[in-house]
Every structure is written in C-alpha cells, then in structure tokens.
Amino acid sequence: MPLARSLSVTSLSGLEEWDEEFDLEDAVLFEIAWEVANKVGGIYTVIQTKARLTAEEWGENYFLVGPYVESNVRTQVELIEPTNPVLKRTIDKMNSSGCKVYFGRWLIEGSPYVVLIDVAFTAWSLDSWKRELWDLCDIGVPWFDREANDAVLFGFLTAWLLGEFAAQSEEPPHIVAHFHEWLAGLGLVLCRHRKLPIATIFTTHATLLGRYLCAGSVDFYNKLADFNVDKEAGDRQIYHRYCLERAAAHCAHVFTTVSQITAIEAEYLLKRAPDIVTPNGLNVKKFSAVHEFQNLHAQSKNRIQEFVRGHFYGHLDFNLDKTLFLFIAGRYEFSNKGADIFLEALARLNYLLRVNHSDVTVIAFFIMPARTNNFNVETLKGQAVRKQLWDTAQTVKERFGKKLYESLLVGQLPDVSKILDKEDFTIMKRAIFATQRQCQPPICTHNMLEDSGDPILNCVRRIGLFNSSADRVKIIFHPEFLSSTSPLLPMDYEEFVRGCHLGVFPSYYEPWGYTPAECTVMGIPSISTNLSGFGCFMEEHIADPSAYGIYILDRRYRGVDESCNQLTSFLFQFCKQSRRQRIIQRNRTERLSELLDWRYLGRYYISARHMALAKAFPDTYMYDLHKPTSTSGFRYPRPASVPPSPALSRHSSPRHSEAEDNDEDERYDEDVEAEKDRVNIRQPYTEREGKKGLRW
C-alpha cells in the first residue's frame, strides 16, 4: 500500500529531531469515534485537530470511522469512491448485505479519509444484536436509552467493518483500531471476542461515572477508593453504559486517558490503570509577525468594547481603557465547570476593588448555552442606541468638518460658536436624552425559559452583583454559543477569546480542558485548577506556571472557601497589573503554545499505537515497555526576569507604576528572555534512548 509519511517535530525549539523510521506499509489504522464529522463535544476537536498529523504519518493507510449524519455530511464531507481496493471490497460487501456505508474525505486540515456508517438503516437488527450482547457479556440495554441503542448498532457495525476488512485482505494485515469513548467501545469488545487480527486501543476522555458523580456534589477525589461503582452506576441508571465502557477498557490491548488526573479516576472507577497518557493538543498557528497576536488582541478588544458601550448605555460611568474582560465558557455544568466558585470570587473581588478605591473595572462574561427564548429587548435596545449615537456623531462631524473646511479656505480661523450651531446642539441633546434609562444594565442577554431556577442567575441574586454604578465588577451572562452572525455580539469564539484579558476556568471536573489550552495558544492568560488535565499538565512541565500566565487553582487539597480566597487573590493581583505587565505576560503565555502543539503531543498517540502493535503482533513488532509513558517532556524554567505573578505580594518587574511603563532601564527584554526560554527547554529522556528496544 502506498504510504506518504512526513512527520517532523524539529520546529519545536529544544527538542531533538524525532526521526524514527517505522515500516508501516503493511499496517492500517482505523480511528473510530461517534464524533467523526459529527460535532457533539470536545472529542470532535481532538479528532479534527489531530487528523492532519496522523494523516501525514500513515498516509493512505489512515481511515476515520464514524456515524453517517446527512446534515453534517452535506457540509463537511466529500463523498468519493474508496481508493483502497481492500476497503472498496469491504464496503461493497457490507452494502450488499443490508448496510449503508459511505466513503469520502473529511474537509478539514489533512483531508483524511472517512468511512461513515448509517446506523439508522440497520435498526432492524437492534433486537438480535442486543440479545447477542446479553449472551456474550451479560449486558442488557434498556429500550428507552436511545444513545445506548445507537452505541450497540455502531459497535456491531464497526466490528463487522473491521472483520470484513481483515477477511478481504490477501495477506494477513496488521490493523490498528483506535476506539474513543464508550459510544464506540462495543466494537472493540466484539473484535476481541471474535479474535480478529487487530491491535486495539481504547481512549476514555472522561469516565461516565466520574462525570455523574461530580455533578452530584460529592467529595469525588477524596473518596475515589470508597465508591461502590456498580451501585453508584445503577443508582444513576447508567449501569449498562458503565459496563460497556469498563468492558472496552479491559479488553483493549492498550488503554489510554487524556491526563494524569483522569488516569487516577479510571484506575478506581474502571478498575484498570492506563498504559499511557495521551494529552490533547491543538494545531498551533504561528504568525509571520512575532507580535501579531498582540495586534489581534487589540482589534478584538475594540469590538468587545463596542458591545459594552451599548450594553451599559446610560450607566457608562467607568473608563473602558481601564476595564478588564474576564470570561468563562463551556458546557452549562454549574459546579463541574466552576461557575459557582467564580461568582463567589467575583463578589469578593468587587469588595476588594471598592475598599481599595481601585479605578479598574472588571466585566465577567459567562458564555454557557442554556434554554432561552431569544434575545431580551433591553439588550437589543442597547446596541440600537449605541448605533444611533454613532450615526449622530458622524452627522455632526460631517457638518462640522464642512464648515471648518470652508472657513479655512477663506483664510480665517474658525469661530467654534458659529461652526456648532443650535441645530447641532439640538441633535446632540436629543441623542443624550436617548441614552437615559431607568433600569440597571441587564445581567443576561437573553430571555431565560427557566429564569427562577437558573443556577447562575440565582447565584447573582444571592451575591448582589446587579451591574450597579457602585460595583467595580459587572456580569454579562450570554447563554448561547458565540457567532459572527449574531445581531448582538457578532464575534466568533476565537475572536472573542483574543479580545479578553483573562480566561477563568476553576473546574472541579475537567478531564482535559480545551478552553484554557485555546487561551494559551492565543496568548491569553488563564486560570485553571489542579483537578483539570490541562492544569496538571502545565504544573508538570512548567517550573512556575503563574510566571507564564497559567494560574493553577488548588481545588484538590483545599476546601471550597480556601480555593475561593485563592481565586480572589489571583483576580485581585491580576487587576493590579499595569498595561505593560499584561503585555509582557501575554508574550510569555504565547511562548507556551508549542508545548500544546500536536507536533509534540502527537508522539504519545504514536507510542500508544506502537505498543498496541507489539502486543497484538509480537512476532513482527517489539516495543520497549520500560520506555517512559508519562507526559514528561518540556520543563520550562522560571523566566529570567521576575514575573508579574499574582503569587507575589511585592512589586514585580516591570515596576507597577504607570509612570514607569516606558522606563528603558527595566530588566525585561522580550527577545532575550524568549531566547533563554528556548535554550532552557529540556527533556528528561531522549527519543533515541527509547529506540533501542524497537524492531520494525
């Protein structure tokens, strides 16, 4: 089979060239997930962003397998004839046997091949396959659980696909099948039961039971060893799902999770320790201009300021140049995502800013989708008033400019009292009267369907932050995903993040955490926790994360009140930074982006696949089991200059005074410091050491 492979991580400063040569021409990789060309959650981002690197490694021998969803296929997939003759015979055989299987290219970076299976078309087999699942594994799936029914259909069809592919191959193939999450896990179990010649990998991105337990406000991490997992799953009516997930974890040749914190969780809840941790990465886009991301921040910030001008019309009694934009975003899981502790910390921050007579204003955005009945009238009116004021100012400016021009033409200095006549003043007074409002600026931008029971709104009522003039902290709850086509805040999520100053994600349950990772690659500081995969990963790789704008909140070893005080301290110290300090910190944050690039993190998935091949085909492949399988890698030191860190009570460098922002004698030099960081990146082991045990 032809193989076009071009894998290199030499772009990562300080990393040795990873030039292992593997004979993969007789190996084929299938990656199976419910979110292939089907956006449901974060796994879609993992697969979509990783596809380019995997396609470069495996070339024509890489196939993604997912469900056929017509609405998604129309916009994301180009349907074509299979290029692989074995796969073409496989799909033809399945289609002639009562299935509907499609083949095409997913229109994303890397343009990987996709095999899409129409599970609804084979729903007639559901009862017989459920009976077979019961006979095989003693797992019964209730009729009312539609998601589990889809998992059964998808599992049997993917196992059929893989088995047929192996049967259609003229020579014994070396197949690697990588399954993501419990929805795809049944296919793995069936492959092992049928003794198919397939190396299997199972990745859990978040355990089912863990997510349910954390949502129930239990002391999850301190009681992991005490849970009766069967009882807990049964009480929550997810026992059949839990059994599918646990069976897949135990049947896989290689079991992986996305973070060390999830690895601990899996060991207790799924009763198997992961063989390797495979952190989630991103495709990091580097700009031709070194500081282009700073310019993008300024542009996006201006657009957010325009929205704020409209939202707070009539109460715009604060200086937008001294206003900080904070945000939290993600699924609306009030406690799991840390929205509860964030709101409490904002109330305490408001008190600190007021008693210290700070001239800084904080606007906190909550971007969490909830059930709404469209935008509320007051919010839309604010944007209309802002536009009206802008149009009025432009009209007066044009009239003023014309009169000024005519005065200068005749060689006279203008008389301001004559240039601005009564009509101009009348127009401006009418515009000012239009900005008067009798109510406070709204907290929520939409009409909530369940206003009285909404957790965020109820918490806002309790802490009393109603966007009054006396408050230094304002709150805007935007209960839907951002879109550039929105009439209210016409910005994509990426643009919005770039315009903010700080992302706040104090999650209690976060197996990885793409939101702080996305902030990092865009040069935006963020607050995470030591209960999130991202936070643990950064603590492992960076000597002083806060120096690089990665603040790690302790939610594992502290009580809620202590964690809230720590978060308040982080926020208050961030508010005390000067503009120059924030620019320096954004430079440092952006330099960590290479650490999150798939060019680096993809190697852990490569290791998992090689481990699976060695276990499934020991006569052909060998893998050194003593090779480190943790996420050890970079170790960033503390920056050369003293960082602007909230952990410091004394003034940091550059000094806090605004008057000294342009002091040329300061110790900080961006280029010099960046070069020192690149030189100091080191690895605890070299890849060449790991190669000694490989035979291909």
Side-chain angles (χ1 to χ4, degrees), residues 475-502:
I475 293 176
I476 299 177
F477 179 25
H478 187 75
E480 74 172 12
F481 289 122
L482 296 168
S483 170
S484 59
T485 59
S486 170
L488 189 64
L489 184 55
M491 298 181 74
D492 288 329
Y493 177 73
E494 180 179 327
E495 294 176 289
F496 176 79
V497 171
R498 286 192 184 278
C500 289
H501 296 92
L502 181 70

Side-chain angles (χ1 to χ4, degrees), residues 99-237:
C99 301
K100 268 196 177 180
V101 183
Y102 301 84
F103 183 84
R105 281 194 181 275
W106 191 1
L107 302 180
I108 58 173
E109 279 193 275
S111 300
Y113 292 128
V114 289
V115 179
L116 302 176
I117 304 172
D118 190 343
V119 296
F121 192 76
T122 52
W124 52 271
S125 300
L126 181 60
D127 289 338
S128 62
W129 284 346
K130 277 188 180 182
R131 192 178 308 111
E132 185 177 343
L133 176 62
W134 173 259
D135 294 338
L136 173 64
C137 304
D138 290 335
I139 298 175
V141 177
W143 62 270
F144 55 81
D145 190 341
R146 181 175 178 178
E147 197 171 19
N149 288 336
D150 286 342
V152 172
L153 292 168
F154 189 57
F156 273 89
L157 287 167
T158 52
W160 185 352
L161 174 77
L162 294 169
E164 192 65 48
F165 184 88
Q168 293 289 342
S169 300
E170 297 174 358
E171 298 179 0
H174 297 134
I175 303 173
V176 182
H178 190 156
F179 298 81
H180 293 267
E181 285 290 276
W182 73 275
L183 278 163
L186 179 57
L188 187 153
V189 176
L190 294 171
C191 286
R192 295 306 304 277
H193 173 71
R194 296 170 182 176
K195 296 182 172 55
L196 299 179
I198 296 173
T200 56
I201 306 170
F202 181 68
T203 297
T204 180
H205 297 257
T207 67
L208 268 170
L209 188 54
R211 191 179 295 280
Y212 274 83
L213 287 169
C214 284
S217 301
V218 300
D219 188 6
F220 179 67
Y221 292 98
N222 291 323
K223 294 184 177 179
L224 266 175
D226 302 329
F227 288 119
N228 181 337
V229 292
D230 295 303
K231 180 181 183 301
E232 296 290 349
D235 290 345
R236 288 159 178 79
Q237 297 185 355

